[in-house]
Amino acid sequence: MFAFVKSTEGATLVSQTFARNWAGMKAAGIQRGAYHFFRPTSSVQGQIDLFLKTVKLAAGDLPAVLDLETTGGLNADELCDRATIWLEAVEKATLMRPIIYTYPGFWDNLGTQRLADYPLWIAHYTSAEEPWVPGGWKTWTFWQYSDTSSVSGVSGNVDANIFESVREGAINYKVADIQKQLRSKGFYQGAMDGKFGTSTTAALISFQKSQNLNADGMAGIKTWAALMQKSPKVIVPLPPPTPTPIPTPTPTPTPVSAVPLTKLFSSYQASAAQDIALIWLQSQVSTSVLGEFAQKWRTTAVPPDTNLRLIDVGKFYRGLAEQDQALDWLQKQISPTVIAEFGQKWRAQSTAPISPIRLIDTCKFYRAAPNQNQALDWLEGQISPAILSDFRRRWQNAK
């Protein structure tokens, strides 16, 4: 069980109930987290100082949360610039990467993909199987799915949240995030492909044992929080100076072998050294070549082969208006009976769903789950080649 409580707001406000709730959660054995409501136009340093003075994170606590749901009249870049200052300072002080809390309407209106490298806590009150993930995020970490729930011992409505544990057999972006964290800590050397196989399980168990956690091979919330914990940097003293050696002939340098960019990017971990290398590489490429590359890169958002699969549509869906128009057109070509059976297969239900399912929603919430892929393959088999060909043309025009 876990819970988040409000700690601070702006540069001056401390929640009156924070101290009692913070101590009470620890006493009750509830994994606890604290959030700061960000006031973009208030002193950022004042907000940093207030949060760090008020909240003392201990072992096992969840990372700090920055609540972003107002612009204060700033534009997207100004808001993100100021939020980044808070995020980086709190991460440095707590040794844990903070979480972003927001809701789809607010973030989509900003029109930015910045801050998507932070874990997402999304507030989306919907009856869908998954929340809408805005901006550049690929998945959510926490989902606030209701603001009208109840909890024993608490009067009034309570916000209800989900943390989705992942285990062997899962195939989604959450698994890729776990693999990335395990690799950064030296426990995993496999591909960050989002497939939770035996090698990921073995790496996770090794990590859990190193942290004295229940070594069940499942990425639950306690394991996730431990993965978010960063080790403090150790300053190694410099060795004493050594006598200047007698110069020796300089050997002929070994030629540097070319490495395919595809191989380099497949092992990208967003490390500082990698980012510096990429920035240097970009500076060596002419503007015209970069422009042509950007055009080719965007073109590959649509699979080039002639047989467009509905699974590929889910993978490359970006919420473009033209893509939605193509999906709406396709939905009108399919009989309600087939759509109903598809919805049943998509939701992995034994009975037909109460509400109809929209192809746009299946793309929004596509996570490459086995039942989703099976449902899409089945649906594709129910559509005539002529209609699929027409849909492919419409989809490819949605660039």
Side-chain angles (χ1 to χ4, degrees):
M1 182 180 293
F2 68 92
F4 290 98
V5 292
K6 181 176 181 179
S7 58
T8 47
E9 177 178 335
T12 58
L13 190 152
V14 177
S15 172
Q16 294 181 349
T17 59
F18 172 72
R20 181 177 73 251
N21 289 336
W22 192 246
M25 287 189 293
K26 186 176 181 65
I30 298 173
Q31 193 164 10
R32 59 187 185 175
Y35 72 88
H36 172 80
F37 190 95
F38 193 64
R39 291 294 180 185
T41 56
S42 295
S43 165
V44 178
Q45 188 59 52
Q47 297 188 71
I48 294 168
D49 294 341
L50 182 65
F51 179 83
L52 294 177
K53 178 182 177 181
T54 304
V55 181
K56 304 299 182 183
L57 295 178
D61 289 340
L62 296 167
V65 179
L66 186 62
D67 184 343
L68 294 174
E69 48 185 301
T70 180
T71 65
L74 303 181
N75 62 38
D77 281 338
E78 291 170 335
L79 171 65
C80 291
D81 287 344
R82 295 175 70 81
T84 298
I85 297 172
W86 190 97
L87 292 163
E88 291 180 348
V90 171
E91 180 175 0
K92 182 178 180 181
T94 63
L95 296 178
M96 297 185 81
R97 194 155 184 78
I99 301 166
I100 299 289
Y101 172 94
T102 192
Y103 61 94
F106 173 74
W107 206 261
D108 280 339
N109 284 336
L110 285 179
T112 183
Q113 294 193 356
R114 294 179 59 183
L115 308 185
D117 53 340
Y118 289 90
L120 174 66
W121 177 11
I122 190 69
H124 187 198
Y125 311 141
T126 173
S127 59
E129 291 88 347
E130 293 273 351
W132 171 242
V133 177
W137 280 284
K138 293 181 178 179
T139 189
W140 53 274
T141 301
F142 293 91
W143 173 18
Q144 187 174 104
Y145 63 90
S146 173
D147 61 350
T148 57
S149 295
S150 60
V151 173
S152 177
V154 179
S155 60
N157 292 331
V158 176
D159 297 334
N161 298 274
I162 290 175
F163 174 89
E164 184 180 44
S165 300
V166 290
R167 66 184 73 199
E168 189 166 326
I171 305 175
N172 53 43
Y173 287 119
K174 289 184 174 68
V175 177
D177 287 342
I178 296 298
Q179 291 170 332
K180 180 179 179 180
Q181 296 303 324
L182 286 170
R183 176 178 285 189
S184 70
K185 290 175 167 50
F187 287 88
Y188 179 73
Q189 300 302 321
M192 291 187 289
D193 53 8
K195 299 177 181 179
F196 205 133
T198 55
S199 59
T200 302
T201 300
L204 194 62
I205 289 175
S206 295
F207 172 76
Q208 289 171 326
K209 288 179 178 178
S210 74
Q211 301 295 308
N212 295 319
L213 296 169
N214 180 25
D216 57 3
M218 182 173 70
I221 190 168
K222 290 185 178 180
T223 297
W224 178 83
L227 283 169
M228 291 298 105
Q229 185 74 46
K230 294 188 174 184
S231 301
K233 292 183 179 179
V234 178
I235 301 176
V236 180
L238 294 175
T242 56
T244 303
I246 299 174
T248 57
T250 303
T252 303
T254 303
V256 178
S257 58
V259 180
L261 290 181
T262 51
K263 183 175 182 180
L264 290 176
F265 289 146
S266 67
S267 60
Y268 177 72
Q269 299 181 46
S271 68
Q274 289 176 330
D275 287 344
I276 291 172
L278 287 171
I279 293 169
W280 173 85
L281 178 61
Q282 180 159 336
S283 69
Q284 310 303 308
V285 183
S286 68
T287 304
S288 61
V289 172
L290 283 175
E292 186 175 351
F293 167 73
Q295 182 178 356
K296 293 179 182 294
W297 176 265
R298 291 175 180 131
T299 301
T300 60
V302 179
D305 58 293
T306 56
N307 298 317
L308 176 67
R309 302 180 61 212
L310 293 185
I311 289 176
D312 294 329
V313 170
K315 289 179 181 177
F316 298 113
Y317 177 76
R318 295 296 181 270
L320 301 176
E322 295 85 351
Q323 291 179 332
D324 287 348
Q325 290 169 8
L327 288 165
D328 277 336
W329 175 88
L330 180 61
Q331 177 131 3
K332 293 174 183 176
Q333 315 306 310
I334 305 172
S335 71
T337 302
V338 171
I339 287 292
E341 189 171 350
F342 168 67
Q344 176 183 329
K345 294 176 182 294
W346 177 267
R347 294 170 174 139
Q349 295 174 336
S350 58
T351 57
I354 297 175
S355 58
I357 193 166
R358 298 173 65 231
L359 294 182
I360 290 175
D361 290 334
T362 64
C363 286
K364 287 180 179 179
F365 304 126
Y366 177 74
R367 294 294 181 271
N371 63 289
Q372 292 178 334
N373 287 341
Q374 291 167 8
L376 288 169
D377 280 339
W378 176 87
L379 179 61
E380 189 171 322
Q382 311 304 308
I383 304 172
S384 71
I387 290 176
L388 283 175
S389 178
D390 196 357
F391 171 68
R392 182 181 187 278
R393 177 182 57 78
R394 294 168 184 267
W395 179 263
Q396 286 187 313
N397 288 334
K399 297 178 182 178

